Amino acid sequence: ETDTESNSETDTESNNKEYDSDALDACASDDPDYLHMVKINSKTKFHWNLDVWSNDTPPAVNGKLVFEGQAWLGFGFSFDGSMIGSEAIIGIPDHEDFDRPLKFKLGAKNVGEITPLPDAQQTLLNAEITQKNRITTLTFKKLLSEDNTDELEISADGMNNFIYAVGTSNTFGYHQFRGSFKLDLSSCNSPIASSRHLPHKSKAAWVAHGVVATLAWAVAIPAAVTTAWFRTIVPQTWIYIHVFCNVAGFFLTLIAFIIAVTTMSLSNEPAHFSDPHHIVGLVLMLFVTFQVMNGFFRPPVEQKKIDYGWIPHTARGAWHLLHRVMGVVLLLLAFWQIQNGLLLFADHFGYRPMTNFFFAYIIVLAIACAGLKVWLIAEQDRAHLQAASINSSINIDKGIGPQAVHKVAFTNGIDPDSELAPVQFDLQ
């Protein structure tokens, strides 16, 4: 422990022994006002000085985030590199309410949950955001350890999780770049850097990916599922529509998958299957492949035994149950995938997400299916009443009861309890 009454030169020398000067020299700043620098991405740099040797002021870091462009900037501190629950210094040029950068709490990804900390916790020194020659600079002096114990502490000689964000303009909103990186301020060691920025040159590719995937899972596959659900409306052609839509959905999914993998491979920092969206996309690709292939291996109809209820008693029944369950699971996964993709695109490229439109589409689709189902049930009830009347007449006129009708139908390969449209046949 340093004796506070020893001379300042001895204090400085003692403290400097804790830091690796060779490593710090390797990341020397190109700004004469700062000693060290790391390049976060092609357009963004972070400069800093550690101020931990003075006995007059608490330990602090002097930071400077520089972006080659004009936009609001944010630099934050996180437990694990994620945004939610972190704290950030955000500078918004020409903001009516914030005339200088402030500390914010990042409660969620939407702008409404990003709120300034109370005035008592606004302890930044020399904080400002400036723009000159189309370069935006955020500067600040931040205490390593705040009096308020709720705030994250910055380590002077250990690994820290930092996050950053660059807006699409000077107006605070969605960001065009965001990322996280680990950095030891005392040694320049930064083993892990993770950027969520996708170059704008790949924007067209991601648009194509989204459009093709939406056609597959919001149009083709729902059409295949609903055609099977309401096959009594088109009893002779539903199977052809069902197969065509499933196959179309498979090929559209394959194209979307290839676009995504190729675009990610060509990005500056490929990160295959590093996000839940990637994993679910792979699952969808594998499952829809199995579903389509399984459809072509459908067992033939057994005429000796008919399945009733959900418990299958035949190979055809087991196949039908698996095919139906997988179809519903795939559709639910796909709906989650589409809304998540819309959020990711908005996040990467600074657009407002279109999830509300997608949710509205799902609601309209669900209401239409429910209405159609109610109508079909009413029509089936009417048909059953008519069938009961006919059976009663047969029983009276010819002495043939309903069981005889079922037997004749079954002998001719017809399931009398089928959901297919009623057919007529003559009793010999």
mmCIF file of all heavy atoms in Angstrom, residues 281-302:
data_model
loop_
_atom_site.group_PDB
_atom_site.id
_atom_site.type_symbol
_atom_site.label_atom_id
_atom_site.label_comp_id
_atom_site.label_asym_id
_atom_site.label_seq_id
_atom_site.Cartn_x
_atom_site.Cartn_y
_atom_site.Cartn_z
ATOM 1 N N GLY A 281 -33.176 -20.848 -37.798
ATOM 2 C CA GLY A 281 -33.160 -20.973 -39.254
ATOM 3 C C GLY A 281 -32.641 -22.325 -39.705
ATOM 4 O O GLY A 281 -33.190 -22.950 -40.633
ATOM 5 N N LEU A 282 -31.587 -22.805 -39.044
ATOM 6 C CA LEU A 282 -31.040 -24.126 -39.377
ATOM 7 C C LEU A 282 -32.051 -25.226 -39.041
ATOM 8 O O LEU A 282 -32.244 -26.171 -39.828
ATOM 9 C CB LEU A 282 -29.740 -24.356 -38.605
ATOM 10 C CG LEU A 282 -29.078 -25.720 -38.783
ATOM 11 C CD1 LEU A 282 -28.694 -25.946 -40.236
ATOM 12 C CD2 LEU A 282 -27.859 -25.845 -37.873
ATOM 13 N N VAL A 283 -32.716 -25.094 -37.893
ATOM 14 C CA VAL A 283 -33.733 -26.078 -37.499
ATOM 15 C C VAL A 283 -34.864 -26.110 -38.525
ATOM 16 O O VAL A 283 -35.324 -27.186 -38.940
ATOM 17 C CB VAL A 283 -34.267 -25.766 -36.091
ATOM 18 C CG1 VAL A 283 -35.487 -26.627 -35.777
ATOM 19 C CG2 VAL A 283 -33.186 -25.987 -35.051
ATOM 20 N N LEU A 284 -35.320 -24.945 -38.933
ATOM 21 C CA LEU A 284 -36.384 -24.882 -39.938
ATOM 22 C C LEU A 284 -35.954 -25.542 -41.244
ATOM 23 O O LEU A 284 -36.734 -26.261 -41.869
ATOM 24 C CB LEU A 284 -36.780 -23.433 -40.192
ATOM 25 C CG LEU A 284 -37.617 -22.740 -39.112
ATOM 26 C CD1 LEU A 284 -37.774 -21.256 -39.427
ATOM 27 C CD2 LEU A 284 -38.992 -23.398 -39.009
ATOM 28 N N MET A 285 -34.727 -25.300 -41.656
ATOM 29 C CA MET A 285 -34.233 -25.881 -42.901
ATOM 30 C C MET A 285 -34.225 -27.407 -42.822
ATOM 31 O O MET A 285 -34.656 -28.111 -43.749
ATOM 32 C CB MET A 285 -32.815 -25.352 -43.174
ATOM 33 C CG MET A 285 -32.215 -25.797 -44.501
ATOM 34 S SD MET A 285 -32.987 -25.050 -45.948
ATOM 35 C CE MET A 285 -33.919 -26.413 -46.607
ATOM 36 N N LEU A 286 -33.748 -27.943 -41.697
ATOM 37 C CA LEU A 286 -33.677 -29.390 -41.542
ATOM 38 C C LEU A 286 -35.077 -30.011 -41.429
ATOM 39 O O LEU A 286 -35.373 -31.031 -42.060
ATOM 40 C CB LEU A 286 -32.846 -29.736 -40.299
ATOM 41 C CG LEU A 286 -31.365 -29.344 -40.356
ATOM 42 C CD1 LEU A 286 -30.686 -29.632 -39.015
ATOM 43 C CD2 LEU A 286 -30.640 -30.075 -41.473
ATOM 44 N N PHE A 287 -35.925 -29.375 -40.630
ATOM 45 C CA PHE A 287 -37.255 -29.944 -40.404
ATOM 46 C C PHE A 287 -38.139 -29.881 -41.649
ATOM 47 O O PHE A 287 -38.895 -30.816 -41.915
ATOM 48 C CB PHE A 287 -37.942 -29.220 -39.245
ATOM 49 C CG PHE A 287 -37.514 -29.708 -37.890
ATOM 50 C CD1 PHE A 287 -36.320 -30.385 -37.724
ATOM 51 C CD2 PHE A 287 -38.298 -29.483 -36.774
ATOM 52 C CE1 PHE A 287 -35.908 -30.830 -36.480
ATOM 53 C CE2 PHE A 287 -37.906 -29.933 -35.516
ATOM 54 C CZ PHE A 287 -36.708 -30.604 -35.376
ATOM 55 N N VAL A 288 -38.068 -28.776 -42.400
ATOM 56 C CA VAL A 288 -38.913 -28.696 -43.592
ATOM 57 C C VAL A 288 -38.428 -29.686 -44.650
ATOM 58 O O VAL A 288 -39.222 -30.231 -45.417
ATOM 59 C CB VAL A 288 -38.947 -27.255 -44.145
ATOM 60 C CG1 VAL A 288 -37.660 -26.892 -44.884
ATOM 61 C CG2 VAL A 288 -40.137 -27.072 -45.087
ATOM 62 N N THR A 289 -37.124 -29.958 -44.669
ATOM 63 C CA THR A 289 -36.601 -30.984 -45.578
ATOM 64 C C THR A 289 -37.180 -32.348 -45.221
ATOM 65 O O THR A 289 -37.639 -33.103 -46.091
ATOM 66 C CB THR A 289 -35.069 -31.022 -45.517
ATOM 67 O OG1 THR A 289 -34.542 -29.731 -45.862
ATOM 68 C CG2 THR A 289 -34.511 -32.063 -46.479
ATOM 69 N N PHE A 290 -37.153 -32.654 -43.914
ATOM 70 C CA PHE A 290 -37.722 -33.926 -43.463
ATOM 71 C C PHE A 290 -39.218 -33.992 -43.755
ATOM 72 O O PHE A 290 -39.735 -35.029 -44.191
ATOM 73 C CB PHE A 290 -37.475 -34.097 -41.968
ATOM 74 C CG PHE A 290 -38.172 -35.293 -41.374
ATOM 75 C CD1 PHE A 290 -37.612 -36.557 -41.485
ATOM 76 C CD2 PHE A 290 -39.394 -35.159 -40.731
ATOM 77 C CE1 PHE A 290 -38.256 -37.668 -40.952
ATOM 78 C CE2 PHE A 290 -40.046 -36.253 -40.194
ATOM 79 C CZ PHE A 290 -39.472 -37.514 -40.305
ATOM 80 N N GLN A 291 -39.922 -32.890 -43.507
ATOM 81 C CA GLN A 291 -41.376 -32.874 -43.697
ATOM 82 C C GLN A 291 -41.753 -33.136 -45.146
ATOM 83 O O GLN A 291 -42.684 -33.909 -45.421
ATOM 84 C CB GLN A 291 -41.926 -31.516 -43.235
ATOM 85 C CG GLN A 291 -43.427 -31.359 -43.346
ATOM 86 C CD GLN A 291 -44.180 -32.021 -42.210
ATOM 87 O OE1 GLN A 291 -43.683 -32.969 -41.614
ATOM 88 N NE2 GLN A 291 -45.379 -31.530 -41.922
ATOM 89 N N VAL A 292 -41.044 -32.513 -46.074
ATOM 90 C CA VAL A 292 -41.359 -32.701 -47.496
ATOM 91 C C VAL A 292 -41.001 -34.115 -47.948
ATOM 92 O O VAL A 292 -41.780 -34.785 -48.646
ATOM 93 C CB VAL A 292 -40.624 -31.648 -48.346
ATOM 94 C CG1 VAL A 292 -40.772 -31.954 -49.831
ATOM 95 C CG2 VAL A 292 -41.173 -30.255 -48.053
ATOM 96 N N MET A 293 -39.821 -34.591 -47.546
ATOM 97 C CA MET A 293 -39.427 -35.953 -47.929
ATOM 98 C C MET A 293 -40.377 -36.977 -47.328
ATOM 99 O O MET A 293 -40.760 -37.956 -47.987
ATOM 100 C CB MET A 293 -37.985 -36.219 -47.467
ATOM 101 C CG MET A 293 -36.935 -35.401 -48.199
ATOM 102 S SD MET A 293 -35.259 -35.763 -47.619
ATOM 103 C CE MET A 293 -35.124 -37.475 -48.087
ATOM 104 N N ASN A 294 -40.765 -36.750 -46.076
ATOM 105 C CA ASN A 294 -41.687 -37.669 -45.423
ATOM 106 C C ASN A 294 -43.039 -37.693 -46.130
ATOM 107 O O ASN A 294 -43.721 -38.723 -46.167
ATOM 108 C CB ASN A 294 -41.866 -37.256 -43.962
ATOM 109 C CG ASN A 294 -42.688 -38.249 -43.169
ATOM 110 O OD1 ASN A 294 -42.499 -39.456 -43.276
ATOM 111 N ND2 ASN A 294 -43.613 -37.745 -42.351
ATOM 112 N N GLY A 295 -43.425 -36.542 -46.711
ATOM 113 C CA GLY A 295 -44.696 -36.486 -47.428
ATOM 114 C C GLY A 295 -44.743 -37.407 -48.620
ATOM 115 O O GLY A 295 -45.809 -37.945 -48.956
ATOM 116 N N PHE A 296 -43.608 -37.619 -49.260
ATOM 117 C CA PHE A 296 -43.579 -38.489 -50.441
ATOM 118 C C PHE A 296 -43.524 -39.977 -50.071
ATOM 119 O O PHE A 296 -43.617 -40.841 -50.946
ATOM 120 C CB PHE A 296 -42.393 -38.137 -51.334
ATOM 121 C CG PHE A 296 -42.561 -36.831 -52.063
ATOM 122 C CD1 PHE A 296 -41.882 -35.694 -51.652
ATOM 123 C CD2 PHE A 296 -43.414 -36.729 -53.147
ATOM 124 C CE1 PHE A 296 -42.033 -34.480 -52.309
ATOM 125 C CE2 PHE A 296 -43.584 -35.528 -53.812
ATOM 126 C CZ PHE A 296 -42.892 -34.402 -53.397
ATOM 127 N N PHE A 297 -43.323 -40.262 -48.795
ATOM 128 C CA PHE A 297 -43.307 -41.658 -48.337
ATOM 129 C C PHE A 297 -44.554 -41.974 -47.520
ATOM 130 O O PHE A 297 -44.523 -42.805 -46.627
ATOM 131 C CB PHE A 297 -42.043 -41.927 -47.512
ATOM 132 C CG PHE A 297 -40.776 -41.883 -48.307
ATOM 133 C CD1 PHE A 297 -39.983 -40.745 -48.323
ATOM 134 C CD2 PHE A 297 -40.371 -42.980 -49.069
ATOM 135 C CE1 PHE A 297 -38.813 -40.692 -49.055
ATOM 136 C CE2 PHE A 297 -39.195 -42.941 -49.804
ATOM 137 C CZ PHE A 297 -38.411 -41.792 -49.807
ATOM 138 N N ARG A 298 -45.648 -41.308 -47.846
ATOM 139 C CA ARG A 298 -46.894 -41.532 -47.136
ATOM 140 C C ARG A 298 -47.375 -42.963 -47.341
ATOM 141 O O ARG A 298 -47.509 -43.423 -48.475
ATOM 142 C CB ARG A 298 -47.946 -40.546 -47.640
ATOM 143 C CG ARG A 298 -49.301 -40.697 -46.970
ATOM 144 C CD ARG A 298 -50.267 -39.660 -47.480
ATOM 145 N NE ARG A 298 -50.459 -39.755 -48.923
ATOM 146 C CZ ARG A 298 -51.348 -39.047 -49.603
ATOM 147 N NH1 ARG A 298 -52.109 -38.173 -48.975
ATOM 148 N NH2 ARG A 298 -51.464 -39.196 -50.906
ATOM 149 N N PRO A 299 -47.658 -43.697 -46.254
ATOM 150 C CA PRO A 299 -48.149 -45.081 -46.390
ATOM 151 C C PRO A 299 -49.514 -45.111 -47.069
ATOM 152 O O PRO A 299 -50.272 -44.140 -46.991
ATOM 153 C CB PRO A 299 -48.248 -45.565 -44.934
ATOM 154 C CG PRO A 299 -47.392 -44.637 -44.147
ATOM 155 C CD PRO A 299 -47.462 -43.319 -44.859
ATOM 156 N N PRO A 300 -49.846 -46.213 -47.707
ATOM 157 C CA PRO A 300 -51.164 -46.311 -48.357
ATOM 158 C C PRO A 300 -52.282 -46.423 -47.323
ATOM 159 O O PRO A 300 -52.056 -46.779 -46.170
ATOM 160 C CB PRO A 300 -51.050 -47.599 -49.186
ATOM 161 C CG PRO A 300 -50.014 -48.406 -48.469
ATOM 162 C CD PRO A 300 -49.028 -47.419 -47.914
ATOM 163 N N VAL A 301 -53.493 -46.128 -47.764
ATOM 164 C CA VAL A 301 -54.655 -46.214 -46.885
ATOM 165 C C VAL A 301 -54.977 -47.678 -46.608
ATOM 166 O O VAL A 301 -55.067 -48.484 -47.531
ATOM 167 C CB VAL A 301 -55.873 -45.519 -47.526
ATOM 168 C CG1 VAL A 301 -57.113 -45.679 -46.631
ATOM 169 C CG2 VAL A 301 -55.576 -44.044 -47.754
ATOM 170 N N GLU A 302 -55.114 -48.007 -45.307
ATOM 171 C CA GLU A 302 -55.518 -49.357 -44.948
ATOM 172 C C GLU A 302 -57.045 -49.424 -44.952
ATOM 173 O O GLU A 302 -57.694 -48.628 -44.290
ATOM 174 C CB GLU A 302 -54.996 -49.747 -43.557
ATOM 175 C CG GLU A 302 -53.480 -49.779 -43.455
ATOM 176 C CD GLU A 302 -52.892 -48.445 -43.018
ATOM 177 O OE1 GLU A 302 -53.652 -47.461 -43.035
ATOM 178 O OE2 GLU A 302 -51.708 -48.399 -42.693
#
